[in-house]
Amino acid sequence: MKTRKVVTKAMDKALMSAYRGVFMEHGGPFGAAIIDNKGEIVCVVHNRVLEDKDPTAHAEIVAIREACKKLDTLDLSGCTMIATGYPCPMCMSAIIWSHIEKVYYGAPAEDCEVIGFKDEPMYRWFRGEESNIRLELELCSDKHREKTMEMYLKYQEDKKEMY
């Protein structure tokens, strides 16, 4: 269990990193940190969307990437995410995929909406509700599905690593 002192320290560092990232024009006002299962801060990062020209370079994603490299693992079980803002749907998915078990955040999603970041349309789209998101998903063809399934089954048969 992470002590409140470590969480507070990590949040303070994430906020400082977010300020630094905005100052350097790396991206939006977001920072993140990851604490390992021993209570040590593994990394502290900020949003890099503009600097990297990468729409996936949100602070939470950057933190997951850095922590996985530093800890030499895909599985961040036992780790805690500290995020200055409530994670967006993409980041939330990455947090789940990486097996992070706890997230502390500095501000709810509504606070981000005040400055123009709007995740709610994505949440509505995921729920199948009316949204301004325009995205079509369509199966390419039955033939391609079969070929893809062959590859999937071969992966499973060869007992490749599951994540």
Side-chain angles (χ1 to χ4, degrees), residues 15 33 35 39 64 74 98:
L15 284 163
I35 302 169
I64 289 168
L74 301 171
S98 65

Side-chain angles (χ1 to χ4, degrees), residues 6 9-11 13 33-36 39-44 70:
V6 174
K9 181 179 177 183
M11 181 61 81
K13 287 178 175 275
I34 293 185
I35 302 169
D36 69 15
E40 300 292 323
I41 297 173
V42 176
C43 64
V44 179
K70 282 187 176 179

